[in-house]
Amino acid sequence: MELPPAQFPSRRAAAVAVAFLRYRRGGPGRALRLRELRRARTEDIKDVGHKYYLELELEDVLDKDSTVNCTAEVLYHLGNKNIAPDVQFTLEGELKSTEEADHVFYTRIRSLEKELVAENIPDSHGHVPPELEPLHLLAWVASGYLVWQNSTENTQLQLAQIKHVKQVRRSDEYLQFDYLVLLHEMVSQEIIPWEMTVLWHPRDGVRVTRESRQPGHTSG
Amino acid sequence: MSLRTWTLLAVPGRAEPAAKMRLVLLLSALLGASLALETFVGHQVLRIQTRNEEEVRQLQLLESLEHLELDFWISPSAPALPVDVRIPAAGVQSVKAFLESQGIEYSVLIEDLQDVLDKEQQDMAESAQRERSTSFDFSSYHTLDEIYAELDHLASEHSFVEKIQIGESYEKRPLYALKFSTGGSNRPAIWLDAGIHSREWVTQASALWIANQIASGYGSDSSITSLLDKMDLFLLPVANPDGFVYTHTWNRMWRKTRSKNAGSVCYGVDPNRNWDAGFGGPGASSSPCSDSYHGPSAESEVEVKSVADFIRNHGNFKAFLTLHSYSQLLMYPYGYKCTRPDDYAELESLGRAAANAIKSVYGTTFQVGPICSTIYQASGGSIDWAYDIGIKYSFAFELRDTGRYGFLLPATQIIPTATETWMGLRKIMEHVLKKQD
């Protein structure tokens, strides 16, 4: 069944697909976001769930002229809310290499004398200090994992803010950052604190190795 | 540079010439980095009154003891001249004891140098701010007081702009709106509000820019002029002042009002679930701790009741427009039910025209549709209420962005957001005006 892109079911599915994609393909030098939802179709698979077929146009937030087309499938499983939706995607074309920016960031962090610590990114006024921008992007990319893992047809999760980030030095070649982020859930309008441990290496990409939803943001 | 020289330059005088002030600012900027490495907490500055050569010699001896790290602002030279010395916190007591044992008189010029420095920094920043901003900076986020001051300013600059009080918030803050009226008596009117959800900062900021746009456009902009020649406009830039102050002082992500909920530790009601339109239905929570709590009853929130009363009493509103963020959506009723309003075709068409007008500025795309199918089913919303009491042209905007910054939209995007939003609002207002004939 064809779905109008203006309506929320197709847009929520698209958001999940893009979150997953951002996680798989992103890094401190690259974050993809949805430019346009071209087309959406849904299918009800008996005893399994709802499947969405999506045609997307994505853009690189650091280079708005760099766009790429994408087809994606999102399957929300029936019943059990604890299973993440299945997401598959196919990118048409190549993404620009971020090798140089990655290398600069990697070397900069590895050579820090003291482990990096930062708070409130962006700040209340939406400002991100330029030297912390890669850390901001990295969080947005990694939060794609949280969004993907915790999405249902009745939720729409976004990264709202990094409350705290701390670099953890490792003996291997990976960079590790322990984040406390706030996620915004659009349908309930709740703000949810979430801890995540993010590993990154230019060669391997981003990995969330530990994540833990925290007790609710105070409504006091 | 020695601290002494900097402080003497920086002693604030009300008639400080601008050039000297700038020199001070430059020096403090240069020193700022170095001062940040040291603090002067607990450091005292003593003024010593020497009476004879012997006492001068004693002080010169003191000066030579480098380990004390004394900083003589006026060095001991002759008995007639005072000696000023800065003493690090650790040495204050022993230096005083020494002076007393020698019978040398002194007084405390500065009890805690860090306090003085902090106050001076603050004074200079405020002074610079006053110098810089003789006009309101629309490209940054402001406090409630600053916004209210700008409302006063706009009202004083334009004869057809009046600041009115719609009511009072839970914590007794005034709900100030601007009334744009070039005459007549209770002319057909347009309502525009922002900031009903306090964390959506780009909305209050955009509302200010739009207010200025309208105020300064009357007489020169044909669209604004023909609108205000026939209709009045009411603009409430901060519909939830308690929540807004709370986002500045405690929690940037606060959404609701700040009313106390009986029997709960949680505060606040979602003011856009509190209107008398499908109140308590799907899409609103009955839990006081929820960010979409509808409240104990419709219009329980004074912020909502004040606006509803005002609009009911006025009786001649033709459009009800409200600004939210984020998601880039342009919506019309209904939210509390998923059936189409009677005026669906006209509202959809007008919505699309407005979205196209928005897109023409920077390419920003807004999705158009009824609330229920565009974002989610939500009961107790303001535009549903407005529509159901007969205000046909009721629209809710969700401004930039689509989630990269969300509520924390960079200040650099305020004016672009306000500009494109204004184009959409204008489109709607022009249509409403046309329909008045």
Side-chain angles (χ1 to χ4, degrees):
Chain A
M1 183 181 89
E2 200 74 24
L3 288 177
Q7 292 183 9
F8 67 76
S10 49
R11 285 208 325 278
R12 282 183 199 169
V16 173
V18 175
F20 177 79
L21 211 151
R22 182 160 54 230
Y23 175 61
R24 283 275 185 258
R25 289 285 184 272
R30 179 202 292 134
L32 294 167
R33 76 161 160 205
L34 182 69
R35 174 179 271 201
E36 198 186 327
L37 171 58
R38 291 249 170 79
R39 213 178 145 206
R41 224 176 12 102
T42 189
E43 191 189 342
D44 193 10
I45 305 179
K46 193 162 150 49
D47 297 329
V48 178
H50 289 144
K51 195 166 192 183
Y52 291 77
Y53 299 85
L54 308 163
E55 285 175 31
L56 313 165
E57 189 189 0
L58 308 170
E59 73 183 17
D60 184 338
V61 299
L62 295 183
D63 179 11
K64 306 269 171 59
D65 293 331
S66 172
T67 64
V68 66
N69 289 330
C70 172
T71 54
E73 290 174 15
V74 178
L75 172 62
Y76 293 101
H77 295 275
L78 252 182
N80 194 335
K81 293 282 151 50
N82 291 328
I83 306 179
D86 291 344
V87 184
Q88 287 178 62
F89 66 87
T90 311
L91 287 176
E92 290 164 30
E94 291 291 311
L95 293 170
K96 235 173 37 161
S97 166
T98 57
E99 208 178 302
E100 201 182 307
D102 285 350
H103 177 73
V104 167
F105 176 69
Y106 184 78
T107 322
R108 177 163 76 90
I109 301 294
R110 290 285 278 199
S111 59
L112 287 176
E113 270 184 31
K114 273 190 63 176
E115 283 146 327
L116 189 148
V117 174
E119 285 188 333
N120 291 331
I121 305 165
D123 68 13
S124 284
H125 297 230
H127 178 66
V128 178
E131 71 274 12
L132 293 179
E133 187 58 44
L135 232 47
H136 181 217
L137 282 177
L138 187 64
W140 196 34
V141 165
S143 69
Y145 175 84
L146 301 181
V147 169
W148 165 47
Q149 287 290 308
N150 293 280
S151 283
T152 70
E153 281 174 290
N154 300 316
T155 62
Q156 191 161 346
L157 288 160
Q158 294 280 0
L159 174 68
Q161 188 182 36
I162 302 166
K163 283 310 282 181
H164 194 264
V165 58
K166 188 185 69 172
Q167 178 198 355
V168 176
R169 250 196 255 283
R170 296 171 65 92
S171 52
D172 60 28
E173 57 187 352
Y174 287 89
L175 298 187
Q176 176 179 336
F177 297 96
D178 288 353
Y179 283 94
L180 171 64
V181 295
L182 297 179
L183 296 187
H184 171 225
E185 203 293 288
M186 184 82 70
V187 180
S188 64
Q189 290 296 341
E190 300 300 328
I191 300 288
I192 312 166
W194 219 298
E195 281 180 359
M196 61 177 182
T197 296
V198 180
L199 257 51
W200 178 73
H201 185 273
R203 190 195 55 228
D204 286 354
V206 179
R207 252 197 311 145
V208 174
T209 55
R210 191 191 75 90
E211 53 100 346
S212 163
R213 179 179 175 140
Q214 299 302 299
H217 210 228
T218 51
S219 189
Chain B
M1 161 175 297
S2 89
L3 180 67
R4 167 188 62 185
T5 318
W6 176 84
T7 309
L8 284 177
L9 275 175
V11 170
R14 289 288 159 248
E16 198 82 296
K20 199 169 188 182
M21 223 29 183
R22 276 185 214 109
L23 175 62
V24 165
L25 285 170
L26 172 62
L27 289 169
S28 72
L30 289 172
L31 275 172
S34 59
L35 284 176
L37 299 173
E38 268 186 284
T39 83
F40 298 94
V41 176
H43 291 218
Q44 289 197 357
V45 178
L46 304 185
R47 168 155 291 179
I48 303 166
Q49 219 42 61
T50 50
R51 285 168 304 185
N52 51 51
E53 291 288 344
E54 174 56 30
E55 289 186 359
V56 174
R57 266 195 297 278
Q58 294 277 34
L59 293 180
Q60 284 168 339
L61 180 64
L62 205 59
E63 196 177 13
S64 70
L65 300 174
E66 285 186 17
H67 71 277
L68 291 176
E69 290 182 33
L70 301 177
D71 175 17
F72 282 83
W73 290 5
I74 305 178
S75 278
S77 54
L81 298 170
V83 172
D84 288 349
V85 59
R86 174 180 64 83
I87 311 172
V92 168
Q93 289 318 311
S94 36
V95 170
K96 282 179 174 173
F98 168 76
L99 294 173
E100 283 159 24
S101 72
Q102 301 302 308
I104 301 175
E105 279 182 32
Y106 69 90
S107 57
V108 177
L109 264 190
I110 298 177
E111 278 251 30
D112 188 321
L113 185 56
Q114 191 58 43
D115 288 346
V116 172
L117 294 177
D118 289 344
K119 178 82 177 38
E120 282 187 324
Q121 289 281 31
Q122 196 185 315
D123 286 347
M124 290 192 309
E126 282 169 22
S127 175
Q129 169 78 355
R130 270 194 301 278
E131 258 187 50
R132 225 182 8 244
S133 57
T134 47
S135 68
F136 191 81
D137 180 8
F138 292 100
S139 64
S140 58
Y141 291 111
H142 290 279
T143 63
L144 185 68
D145 290 342
E146 288 164 356
I147 290 173
Y148 280 0
E150 178 60 11
L151 297 185
D152 284 327
H153 178 248
L154 284 170
S156 70
E157 289 280 295
H158 305 276
S159 59
F160 59 93
V161 181
E162 188 193 341
K163 188 185 86 172
I164 61 171
Q165 183 165 349
I166 305 280
E168 234 180 29
S169 70
Y170 182 83
E171 290 175 345
K172 304 279 184 272
R173 293 185 174 88
L175 295 167
Y176 285 137
L178 289 180
K179 175 183 180 181
F180 297 81
S181 179
T182 61
S185 168
N186 216 47
R187 280 179 174 169
I190 293 173
W191 174 268
L192 175 61
D193 69 59
I196 196 172
H197 290 137
S198 38
R199 62 191 178 200
E200 299 168 5
W201 277 19
V202 74
T203 68
Q204 300 94 336
S206 294
L208 261 297
W209 184 92
I210 289 166
N212 185 61
Q213 204 48 218
I214 297 172
S216 52
Y218 181 72
S220 52
D221 180 303
S222 59
S223 177
I224 293 172
T225 307
S226 27
L227 180 80
L228 290 183
D229 277 344
K230 292 262 165 44
M231 298 183 78
D232 291 346
L233 188 115
F234 292 83
L235 198 162
L236 176 66
V238 186
N240 178 7
D242 294 350
F244 188 57
V245 170
Y246 200 73
T247 59
H248 277 272
T249 52
W250 284 107
N251 181 350
R252 176 62 178 80
M253 295 294 172
W254 191 258
R255 166 183 168 88
K256 303 187 287 183
T257 61
R258 288 296 302 166
S259 55
K260 180 139 181 26
N261 289 313
S264 174
V265 299
C266 296
Y267 278 73
V269 166
D270 183 340
N272 207 31
R273 301 287 184 277
N274 190 243
W275 298 74
D276 192 7
F279 177 82
S285 173
S286 54
S287 162
C289 295
S290 166
D291 256 332
S292 55
Y293 174 50
H294 50 55
S297 58
E299 297 184 19
S300 63
E301 301 313 283
V302 63
E303 294 85 355
V304 170
K305 183 159 175 37
S306 301
V307 172
D309 283 344
F310 181 81
I311 289 175
R312 281 188 288 251
N313 293 339
H314 182 280
N316 206 14
F317 276 95
K318 302 298 176 191
F320 182 94
L321 309 167
T322 182
L323 302 182
H324 292 257
S325 75
Y326 57 94
S327 284
Q328 293 170 206
L329 307 170
L330 211 168
M331 300 175 290
Y332 50 87
Y334 286 106
Y336 71 83
K337 56 185 177 181
C338 292
T339 52
R340 285 180 173 177
D342 288 342
D343 301 290
Y344 165 78
E346 186 184 359
L347 294 177
E348 171 72 22
S349 162
L350 181 53
R352 281 187 192 277
N356 285 336
I358 292 174
K359 189 169 183 171
S360 70
V361 188
Y362 298 108
T364 309
T365 49
F366 274 56
Q367 303 296 334
V368 178
I371 293 176
C372 189
S373 54
T374 308
I375 188 170
Y376 39 52
Q377 188 173 10
S379 56
S382 66
I383 69 166
D384 287 356
W385 169 82
Y387 186 78
D388 277 352
I389 64 162
I391 301 174
K392 181 179 5 172
Y393 300 104
S394 294
F395 288 92
F397 287 64
E398 292 272 1
L399 306 187
R400 290 193 196 183
D401 60 10
T402 53
R404 180 178 176 201
Y405 290 98
F407 300 121
L408 306 180
L409 196 71
T412 49
Q413 290 197 44
I414 293 173
I415 292 181
T417 300
T419 308
E420 69 194 6
T421 303
W422 169 236
M423 295 308 286
L425 291 168
R426 226 165 89 130
K427 197 51 139 198
I428 294 173
M429 293 182 189
E430 284 167 0
H431 181 89
V432 175
L433 176 66
K434 229 180 12 222
K435 294 292 187 156
Q436 293 314 300
D437 297 323

